[in-house]
Amino acid sequence: MDIMFPLMLILGLVTSITALPIMNFDVFDYGATGFGEDDDSQAFMDAWRDACNGETEGEAGVIVPEVGSFLLNPIMFYGPCNPQIIHFIILGTIIAPGSPTSWNGLDSSQWIAFKDVTGLNVYGSGLVNGQGKRWWDQSCRYHPNKDGCTKLAPTVFKFLSCNEGTLSNLQIVNSPQTHVLIIDSKGFTVDNLMIQSPQNTPNTDGIHIHSSHEVKITNSIIGSGDDCISIGDFTSNIYIANIICGPGHGISIGSLGKDGEMVQVENIRISDSSFKRTTNGARIKTWQVGQGNIRHVIFENLVFDDVENPIIIDQYYCDVRGMCKEEKTGVKISDVVYKNLYGTSSTNIAINLNCSRSVRCSGIKMKNINLVSTQPGKPMTSSCTNAVGTEVGVNPACFGN
């Protein structure tokens, strides 16, 4: 992995260099030191201001040079911008403050954020380090009895209402919480990322999508303490392919409907990806109190290696598993396809469709699935409750038809 990824970066960067923006604004020219100890936030803001307000209607860019380590406090880059395309080229290293106190009086949910920027391209061969350890050590999820524990921690990259944007060719590590958040955006592409944080870190999703449409995530390596990729509410036309996931909780739709809201998720395609020692593989999770629909979902050409729950739908998702009372409501899950899925499960139940008695899963189609135990010769089973569908060539059988 360490050998292959730089090659991927070089190939991606060559393409980017041949199309460098017409007007470049180097953060060194605005007073950045690149020493990794001084706050370089103002230099970044000033370079962004001039790039965003540039007189050109073509392209402009902010350059973060290769030689340097740049300390940034919480920062928001605002649009709309005059140029039709804005490049944010990270060739060096950007690091977050090591102490949560740097967020005192500020929005603790974000570190580097872009808002209302159309045509934004964030890329480079650089490293972005969220320095999340101090946040993990005071997380209420893992330290509920700790005085001053925190439920909310910063996301490394947050893209808010950024249409027709891209994020590519970067290494993003050790986020305090989610690494990349895409929200209220359309036509956003993520490609060739390496995202990593330790397996035991709280809520460190690799990429989370919410209220966004026409999003593509491809050719990336993601390992974290939570979902490699999670798909939130009000999303449609999402394409995910060629992802190496692990460690983590798999690629998940949800959880959805926690507060009884109307869920709208459709046209999701997840393909040609692999999962290694994750807690889940292809997962859909909803709360009973939710309403609305998850529909037209395809999981295809997936490989599982020592995964606890390779295929799982959980319509009884709950803060404490098995402790929530039965509800008569639920999110309708329909038209879900599982095709060409292979590999090993570390638990006895390789396929687990735990659907609601009140709102059954319907239109489930399974074809060419073979899941065996991580332990050679150990028998496997499926548990498919309140689900209606068909299967061809499925082992272990779910519907028996």
Side-chain angles (χ1 to χ4, degrees):
M1 182 182 299
D2 292 338
I3 295 174
M4 292 178 61
F5 190 68
L7 293 176
M8 296 166 67
L9 287 175
I10 291 169
L11 291 173
L13 189 58
V14 167
T15 301
S16 301
I17 289 173
T18 60
L20 280 175
I22 297 171
M23 298 179 62
N24 293 330
F25 300 87
D26 190 318
V27 296
F28 273 146
D29 294 336
Y30 290 84
T33 67
F35 293 151
E37 298 177 354
D38 302 319
D39 180 12
D40 287 324
S41 303
Q42 191 60 52
F44 276 64
M45 288 297 295
D46 291 344
W48 175 264
R49 177 200 62 215
D50 287 354
C52 185
N53 295 329
E55 295 180 0
T56 178
E57 293 183 358
E59 303 181 28
V62 173
I63 306 292
V64 182
E66 183 177 4
V67 181
S69 182
F70 302 88
L71 175 65
L72 289 190
N73 278 308
I75 192 168
M76 172 81 83
F77 299 105
Y78 288 96
C81 296
N82 292 334
Q84 294 183 5
I85 299 176
I86 292 285
H87 300 266
F88 198 99
I89 305 172
I90 302 171
L91 303 176
T93 297
I94 298 177
I95 59 174
S99 172
T101 58
S102 296
W103 275 262
N104 286 350
L106 301 174
D107 182 354
S108 62
S109 74
Q110 63 190 37
W111 173 33
I112 302 172
F114 297 86
K115 182 175 175 59
D116 296 324
V117 186
T118 298
L120 171 68
N121 298 299
V122 179
Y123 61 92
S125 57
L127 171 70
V128 184
N129 187 347
Q131 297 212 102
K133 187 178 187 308
R134 293 277 295 275
W135 289 96
W136 306 332
D137 289 345
Q138 66 179 35
S139 165
C140 293
R141 180 173 178 177
Y142 287 174
H143 309 281
N145 298 322
K146 184 180 181 66
D147 290 340
C149 74
T150 52
K151 294 182 179 179
L152 188 64
T155 291
V156 166
F157 279 122
K158 187 177 287 189
F159 298 93
L160 307 166
S161 302
C162 291
N163 297 331
E164 306 302 327
T166 67
L167 173 66
S168 62
N169 300 337
L170 289 172
Q171 297 183 64
I172 306 169
V173 301
N174 296 333
S175 179
Q177 205 155 300
T178 301
H179 289 74
V180 177
L181 173 63
I182 302 166
I183 185 169
D184 291 328
S185 299
K186 182 178 181 180
F188 201 96
T189 298
V190 177
D191 184 65
N192 195 24
L193 294 186
M194 176 177 277
I195 295 175
Q196 287 192 317
S197 60
Q199 184 174 3
N200 61 345
T201 53
N203 301 312
T204 53
D205 294 65
I207 302 171
H208 181 70
I209 311 164
H210 184 81
S211 295
S212 296
H213 313 280
E214 299 173 19
V215 176
K216 293 177 62 177
I217 303 173
T218 54
N219 306 315
S220 296
I221 300 169
I222 304 174
S224 71
D226 211 305
D227 294 319
C228 291
I229 301 172
S230 56
I231 299 168
D233 203 359
F234 303 108
T235 55
S236 66
N237 301 321
I238 309 299
Y239 177 68
I240 298 169
N242 297 310
I243 305 299
I244 298 174
C245 173
H249 295 179
I251 297 178
S252 299
I253 298 173
S255 64
L256 300 173
K258 181 177 182 179
D259 298 315
E261 65 267 26
M262 185 67 67
V263 171
Q264 298 177 28
V265 174
E266 61 184 359
N267 298 331
I268 312 296
R269 190 182 195 114
I270 300 164
S271 69
D272 300 289
S273 297
S274 64
F275 304 80
K276 186 176 180 64
R277 295 179 182 173
T278 54
T279 55
N280 304 284
R283 177 163 68 157
I284 301 174
K285 48 181 177 174
T286 64
W287 296 70
Q288 291 184 76
V289 293
Q291 303 176 67
N293 288 278
I294 299 172
R295 56 193 175 193
H296 307 310
V297 178
I298 297 174
F299 295 100
E300 65 177 352
N301 304 330
L302 305 181
V303 177
F304 308 100
D305 180 0
D306 198 16
V307 173
E308 290 184 26
N309 301 294
I311 300 172
I312 181 169
I313 294 177
D314 186 2
Q315 285 192 284
Y316 291 93
Y317 193 74
C318 189
D319 281 327
V320 181
R321 185 175 294 276
M323 295 300 292
C324 290
K325 67 177 184 178
E326 182 82 21
E327 302 283 353
K328 294 184 178 180
T329 54
V331 177
K332 177 65 175 175
I333 298 174
S334 61
D335 299 320
V336 181
V337 174
Y338 300 92
K339 182 180 179 181
N340 301 334
L341 276 55
Y342 305 96
T344 58
S345 172
S346 61
T347 58
N348 294 338
I349 302 175
I351 302 174
N352 186 0
L353 308 186
N354 186 23
C355 298
S356 166
R357 277 194 286 261
S358 300
V359 185
R360 297 189 303 172
C361 302
S362 63
I364 308 297
K365 296 180 181 179
M366 295 187 171
K367 184 176 181 180
N368 298 338
I369 297 173
N370 187 30
L371 299 170
V372 299
S373 176
T374 302
Q375 303 177 38
K378 186 175 182 179
M380 302 298 298
T381 62
S382 291
S383 176
C384 301
T385 306
N386 301 315
V388 178
T390 60
E391 63 182 23
V392 177
V394 175
N395 173 54
C398 181
F399 302 116
N401 55 6

